[in-house]
Amino acid sequence: MDAKIALAGNPNSGKTSLFNELTGARQHVGNYPGVTVEKKEGTYFYNGYRMCIVDLPGTYSLTAYSEEEIVTRDFLVTENPDLVIDILDASNLERNLYLAVQFLEMGVPMCIALNMIDVAENRGIEINVKKLSVLLGIPVVSTIARTGEGKKDLISAAAQIIREGKQKRSFKISYGDDLDEALLEMEKEIMDSNFLTDTYDARWIALKYLENDKQILLKGQENNSSLSARLEKMVDKVSLHLEKTLNIYPEAMIADQRYGYINSIMKQGVMRQEHGQSRLYMSDKIDKIVTNRFLGPIIMISILMALYQFTFTYSEAPVVWFERFFGWLGDVVSTHLSDGFLKSLIISGVIGGVGGVLGFVPLIMFMFFGIALLEDSGYLARVAFMLDRVFRIFGLHGSSVMAYIVSGGIAGGCAVPGVMATRTLKSPRERLATLLTVPFMNCGAKLPIFALLIAAFFAKNEAAIMLVITLISWAGALLVAKLLRITIIKGEPSPFVMELPPYRLPTFKGLAIHTWERTWQYVKKAGTVILGISIILWAMMTFPGLPDSKVQEFENMREIEKVTSGTAVIQELQTHSGDTELSGEARNLKDRLAVIASQKAEESLRNSIAGRMGIALESISEWAGFDWRTNIALVGGFAAKEVIISTLGTAYSLGELDPEKSESLSETLVKTPGWSPLVALSLIIFTIFYAPCFITVIMIVKESGSWKWGIFSIVFNTTLAFALATLVFQVGSVMGILGG
Ligand code: BGO
C-alpha cells in the first residue's frame, strides 16, 4: 500500500537528518514547480507500506511571506498527504510549537517528532512527552535524528494514523472576543457561498483574511470578488476596532494568542528546566505570582471584591440622580396629563418600566469598566487558567470558564454570547454541560435586581453580598454541571489549553470604548425589547380593569368620605396643594382618599390578567416568600430578566400606598408588608437559578441542536430555583433570621 508522508518543521530542527535516516539511498532531489525551492523525495518501506516521503522546506510559520511558506502550504492542500510529521527541536520547544499550532489549525493529519531530545537533556530540559501529546491531541514521539533513535516508534505511530484514515480534527484557538466574533461571521459567509472551501477549511480562510494573507486574498478575489470585498470590509471593521481599543492589528493579536496557547501548554508542566536558565519575560514574572497555587485564588477574590467595592461606591450617587430624574419625569407627566389609560401607560408602563432599567446604567457602566480593565490587561485569561483545575473536578473544561465569564461570571455579561462561546469546547458533552449551566451566571439583566435588593435590605455590606451572590451562582452552576456529568451527560473530561497572551497595559481610550459598547447594548435593549415587553406587561397588569360595579363602589366610598368631611374641607383641598398649608381635617381627608385610591389600584391590579396569574401562583410561591406582585415580575422575567425590575416597578407603582409620593422602588419594598431581608435573599436565589430568558433558551436549542435541552433548562432550572428559594425562606423563617 502506498502512503504519502510530508516532513515539515523549522529550519535546523533535523528534518534533513531524519529524511536521510528514513530514505537512505532511495532519494532524489528536484525543484518545486515554478520556484527555486528544492524538493527532496524518497521512499521507506514499513510493514507492507511503501511510504513516499517528501521533505518540505523549513519554515517558522505558514503565512505567505516567503516562497518556502507558500510551497509548504500549497503542498499540504494540493497534494493532500496522508500524514505530516512535524519535527520539533526539543531544546527550543516553545518557538517550534508555533508552526505545529498552525498545522493543527489547518486540520492536516499529523504527528510530532520531538527531535534533538539529547540536546534538550544536556541543557537540563525535561519534557513530559505524554502530557504534550494529550494536550495537543496528537501522537508525539521523541527522536534523535542524528543517530536514528526513535525512528521506529515514529514510523509506527505514523502508520497507525494512516491506518485510521484522515479524520477531521477540530482544533480552535480563541483569538479574543472581537476576532472570535468576526471569525464566526466570516466563516458563515464563506460556508454559505462555498467560497474556496473545496481546497481550504472555512475558518482557516477567514483567519487568513484576518492575517491579510496576500495569496489567499488574491485567490479569493479571483474566485468571488464581491464576497472577497465583503470579507475584506469585515476585516477592516474589526481591525479598526482592535486598533482603537487595544492598539493592535489582527495579525499581531493572532500571533499573541497562538503564543498564548503555547504558553499555557508550557505552564501545565510539559517542560522542566533544571538549571533555571529559561528566560523569564515580564508576563512570566507576573504569572508566577498571579497564578500561584496559593496566592492566585487570594488575589482573584481580592480583585473581585475590589471590583464590586469600586462599582457600588462610585455608582451610588449617579444611580440616585437617575432615580430622581425618572421620579421627576413621572411627576411632570402626572401633572400635565389627565387621569386615564395614556397617563397610566406612560407613568407605569414606560417610565416605571424602562426608567427602572435605565436607572441602573451608571452601575452597569462602572461594572463594565472594571471588567474591561481585567479583560484588556489579560488577567481574565489567567482566571480561566487557574479555575481550570477546579472545573476539572466538576467534569468541565477550562474553556467553560470563559463561557461563564462572558455570561456574567464576574457580573454584567449575557448568557446569549455565553452559550455561543461554548463553541470553543471540543467535547460535545462538556459543551452541553457548559451551555446548560452558563445561564446561572449573573448577567447584566440580573445585576439591577441584585443591586436593588441589596440597596434596600443589605445596604451595609453591598460588595460582600455581591461577592457571596457571585460565589453562590458559581457553586450552583458547578454542582449542577457535576450532576449532569455523572447522570445524563457522562464522559471523561478532555485536555485543556487556554491561551495566555502577554499582559498588556490597557489604554484609557480602549477601556472607554469597550465600556461604552457594552453599556450601549444595555441601553438599546432597554429602549427596544424591554420597552415592548414593559408595555405588554403593563397592559396585562391594567386590563380588563375593575367591573363598573366595583368602580362605583370605590366612587361611593370617596363620596362618603367627602360628604362626612363637609364642603369647606373639600374646597380647602381643591385650592391648596402642599401638606403644610392644610388644616388637620383636610389632611385627614386627603390621606383617607389616598388610601381609597390605593385600594382601588390594588383591586384593579389583582383583577388584571397578570394579577390573576400572580394570585393563582401565590399559593405555591408563598413557600418561598413571594407575593403575587413578585410572581408577576418573575413570570415577566422569562421574556427578559430586565423585566423583573421594571415589572416590580410597575406593579408597585400601580398599587402603591401613596401614589402622590414618588419614592424609589427600594424604599417602597422596604415599607411593604411581607417584604424582609429574608424574602429578598430568597428572591435573589430564585433569580440566579430560574429559567433562562427566552432568547437564551432559543440559543440553547440552536447550539445543542435539540428542543429537548431548551425545555430541560426551563423546567429543571425553575424547579431547582424554587426548591432552593423555598429552602432558604423556610429555614430562615424557622430560625427567625433576617426578619423571617
Ligand atoms: C550539523 N540530535 C543532535 N544532537 N543533533 C541533531 C539531531 C539530534 O537529534 N538532529 C539533527 N541534528 P538538519 P534541517 C552539524 O549539520 O537535519 C543536527 O535544517 C554540523 N554540520 O546533524 O540539517 C544535524 O534539515 C557541524 O547538524 O536540519 C545538523 O531541519 C557541527 O542538527 C543540525 C554540528 O539538522 C541540523 C552539527 C556541518
Side-chain angles (χ1 to χ4, degrees):
M1 212 192 319
D2 275 3
K4 194 184 282 178
I5 297 181
L7 295 188
N10 286 183
N12 288 319
S13 57
K15 269 179 327 86
T16 312
S17 308
L18 186 67
F19 179 75
N20 291 340
E21 256 311 312
L22 291 173
T23 57
R26 298 171 299 276
Q27 48 176 273
H28 55 92
V29 180
N31 265 5
Y32 284 97
V35 285
T36 54
V37 180
E38 200 176 69
K39 184 181 191 186
K40 282 189 280 182
E41 280 183 315
T43 37
Y44 180 77
F45 294 95
Y46 174 83
N47 267 2
Y49 276 102
R50 182 177 176 274
M51 297 179 171
C52 169
I53 298 182
V54 182
D55 185 18
L56 294 175
T59 59
Y60 293 105
S61 178
L62 285 184
T63 44
Y65 291 122
S66 67
E67 273 188 350
E68 284 79 5
E69 290 177 347
I70 295 182
V71 162
T72 304
R73 249 167 50 170
D74 284 352
F75 182 86
L76 296 180
V77 289
T78 51
E79 303 275 326
N80 216 357
D82 297 284
L83 180 75
V84 175
I85 298 182
D86 184 14
I87 296 143
L88 267 57
D89 172 358
S91 66
N92 205 347
L93 186 60
E94 210 164 339
R95 184 177 182 191
N96 278 243
L97 273 172
Y98 192 75
L99 181 67
V101 164
Q102 291 179 73
F103 283 134
L104 285 167
E105 282 189 305
M106 273 190 98
V108 291
M110 69 182 283
C111 72
I112 282 178
L114 195 58
N115 196 34
M116 305 227 189
I117 205 83
D118 55 331
V119 181
E121 270 166 19
N122 282 340
R123 290 190 195 164
I125 299 170
E126 202 183 303
I127 296 173
N128 186 336
V129 180
K130 216 169 168 182
K131 190 150 200 179
L132 181 62
S133 163
V134 169
L135 289 175
L136 291 174
I138 50 171
V140 178
V141 180
S142 28
T143 58
I144 304 175
R146 197 149 67 172
T147 61
E149 209 177 305
K151 181 175 84 175
K152 287 220 166 85
D153 290 343
L154 179 67
I155 288 298
S156 118
Q160 167 93 14
I161 300 176
I162 295 169
R163 258 198 306 273
E164 283 165 7
K166 287 175 194 166
Q167 284 159 358
K168 192 95 190 88
R169 250 181 305 105
S170 138
F171 179 88
K172 279 184 196 163
I173 286 185
S174 164
Y175 288 107
D177 283 353
D178 296 325
L179 287 186
D180 281 351
E181 206 183 305
L183 272 171
L184 274 181
E185 249 179 77
M186 292 167 75
E187 207 181 323
K188 191 174 174 306
E189 289 260 354
I190 291 168
M191 298 230 277
D192 286 350
S193 317
N194 281 334
F195 177 71
L196 301 177
T197 46
D198 292 345
T199 328
Y200 307 100
D201 172 71
R203 185 179 162 92
W204 192 82
I205 301 168
L207 202 55
K208 290 293 134 185
Y209 262 80
L210 284 169
E211 283 184 299
N212 196 17
D213 186 294
K214 295 282 176 284
Q215 190 203 21
I216 296 294
L217 279 175
L218 210 64
K219 282 190 180 175
Q221 282 152 5
E222 281 165 11
N223 183 283
N224 181 341
S225 58
S226 70
L227 176 58
S228 180
R230 268 211 308 284
L231 293 175
E232 284 170 55
K233 234 189 194 148
M234 287 167 153
V235 172
D236 287 346
K237 193 174 145 207
V238 70
S239 303
L240 203 73
H241 185 80
L242 276 185
E243 208 193 325
K244 268 203 287 192
T245 52
L246 299 173
N247 198 16
I248 195 169
Y249 288 106
E251 300 96 298
M253 183 86 178
I254 289 170
D256 268 4
Q257 294 291 112
R258 278 189 191 133
Y259 273 115
Y261 177 87
I262 295 164
N263 187 8
S264 171
I265 290 185
M266 305 306 275
K267 282 208 166 68
Q268 294 191 57
V270 160
M271 197 177 92
R272 263 215 346 250
Q273 186 145 19
E274 265 174 23
H275 321 305
Q277 292 161 336
S278 76
R279 196 177 141 204
L280 279 187
Y281 294 97
M282 195 53 165
S283 277
D284 297 320
K285 285 183 191 160
I286 301 174
D287 275 344
K288 267 206 166 309
I289 303 166
V290 164
T291 61
N292 177 282
R293 231 165 236 271
F294 302 104
L295 281 178
I298 298 173
I299 295 174
M300 186 171 73
I301 298 276
S302 310
I303 287 181
L304 285 192
M305 193 65 190
L307 171 72
Y308 298 145
Q309 194 76 49
F310 159 80
T311 307
F312 281 105
T313 309
Y314 292 101
S315 68
E316 198 178 334
V319 164
V320 172
W321 300 335
F322 270 60
E323 259 178 13
R324 284 208 193 122
F325 169 74
F326 287 111
W328 167 84
L329 203 63
D331 288 346
V332 170
V333 175
S334 177
T335 44
H336 287 89
L337 281 181
S338 49
D339 286 352
F341 285 132
L342 183 67
K343 181 174 171 176
S344 169
L345 168 68
I346 294 178
I347 294 182
S348 298
V350 179
I351 299 177
V354 175
V357 176
L358 287 184
F360 286 94
V361 163
L363 182 113
I364 293 282
M365 233 166 125
F366 278 96
M367 190 70 92
F368 283 157
F369 184 83
I371 291 174
L373 190 71
L374 300 183
E375 197 175 350
D376 291 2
S377 63
Y379 180 70
L380 274 193
R382 271 70 192 178
V383 170
F385 182 78
M386 274 187 286
L387 289 178
D388 177 52
R389 288 174 218 151
V390 182
F391 269 50
R392 234 149 244 290
I393 303 170
F394 295 91
L396 291 179
H397 195 270
S399 295
S400 317
V401 180
M402 241 19 206
Y404 274 28
I405 290 176
V406 172
S407 305
I410 292 180
C414 175
V416 173
V419 170
M420 279 160 70
T422 61
R423 288 181 190 170
T424 49
L425 278 118
K426 284 177 217 153
S427 145
R429 287 158 197 276
E430 284 166 356
R431 184 167 177 225
L432 192 57
T434 311
L435 67 85
L436 288 174
T437 47
V438 289
F440 296 143
M441 297 294 109
N442 301 328
C443 66
K446 290 183 194 170
L447 206 57
I449 309 160
F450 301 149
L452 169 87
L453 296 172
I454 292 174
F457 297 99
F458 308 99
K460 284 197 191 113
N461 307 305
E462 288 182 322
I465 297 283
M466 193 60 218
L467 184 66
V468 170
I469 291 176
T470 307
L471 295 179
I472 290 176
S473 60
W474 279 75
L478 289 177
L479 288 172
V480 170
K482 181 76 184 172
L483 181 72
L484 294 173
R485 295 286 277 124
I486 55 173
T487 54
I488 44 178
I489 21 183
K490 278 188 208 158
E492 285 298 306
S494 57
F496 162 73
V497 182
M498 170 85 208
E499 301 75 23
L500 283 181
Y503 285 99
R504 288 194 193 93
L505 198 64
T507 62
F508 184 75
K509 193 175 155 200
L511 293 176
I513 294 174
H514 275 151
T515 307
W516 174 243
E517 277 172 353
R518 286 165 198 172
T519 309
W520 179 237
Q521 289 287 327
Y522 180 82
V523 173
K524 219 163 60 179
K525 197 170 165 196
T528 52
V529 181
I530 308 300
L531 175 65
I533 300 171
S534 281
I535 292 175
I536 295 172
L537 281 165
W538 167 84
M540 286 173 71
M541 284 190 268
T542 306
F543 298 108
L546 288 174
D548 289 346
S549 58
K550 264 277 177 217
V551 174
Q552 195 54 48
E553 219 174 90
F554 280 110
E555 209 37 57
N556 292 345
M557 281 162 74
R558 276 175 65 86
E559 281 311 309
I560 293 169
E561 289 293 348
K562 281 182 182 172
V563 171
T564 40
S565 301
T567 20
V569 178
I570 297 168
Q571 249 174 6
E572 191 190 342
L573 253 194
Q574 280 166 350
T575 46
H576 297 272
S577 53
D579 266 9
T580 44
E581 297 164 33
L582 291 172
S583 66
E585 274 178 55
R587 210 175 310 140
N588 254 339
L589 174 62
K590 190 182 170 195
D591 287 348
R592 287 200 303 274
L593 290 180
V595 169
I596 293 172
S598 162
Q599 284 170 346
K600 183 183 168 192
E602 183 173 332
E603 197 64 27
S604 169
L605 182 60
R606 279 177 176 277
N607 197 47
S608 68
I609 305 167
R612 286 180 210 185
M613 268 164 61
I615 291 167
L617 289 171
E618 206 176 38
S619 57
I620 304 169
S621 71
E622 64 189 8
W623 297 354
F626 308 150
D627 69 354
W628 58 280
R629 283 192 182 96
T630 311
N631 292 346
I632 301 177
L634 291 174
V635 171
F638 176 62
K641 290 277 150 71
E642 288 91 339
V643 170
I644 299 180
I645 199 106
S646 58
T647 311
L648 275 179
T650 311
Y652 280 92
S653 79
L654 278 175
E656 84 183 9
L657 297 174
D658 185 351
E660 288 191 8
K661 258 192 210 138
S662 56
E663 54 189 10
S664 73
L665 181 55
S666 56
E667 284 166 341
T668 310
L669 293 185
V670 173
K671 281 186 201 162
T672 307
W675 276 88
S676 64
L678 184 62
V679 174
L681 183 65
S682 166
L683 183 56
I684 288 173
I685 299 285
F686 188 83
T687 310
I688 296 174
F689 293 106
Y690 92 108
C693 69
F694 184 66
I695 310 171
T696 306
V697 172
I698 298 288
M699 219 51 222
I700 289 178
V701 172
K702 221 168 123 190
E703 294 294 318
S704 66
S706 159
W707 268 102
K708 185 176 82 181
W709 294 115
I711 294 167
F712 174 85
S713 71
I714 298 174
V715 177
F716 176 82
N717 294 14
T718 309
T719 313
L720 173 74
F722 187 65
L724 291 176
T726 304
L727 186 74
V728 167
F729 184 70
Q730 294 300 333
V731 171
S733 300
V734 169
M735 293 173 70
I737 51 169
L738 295 172

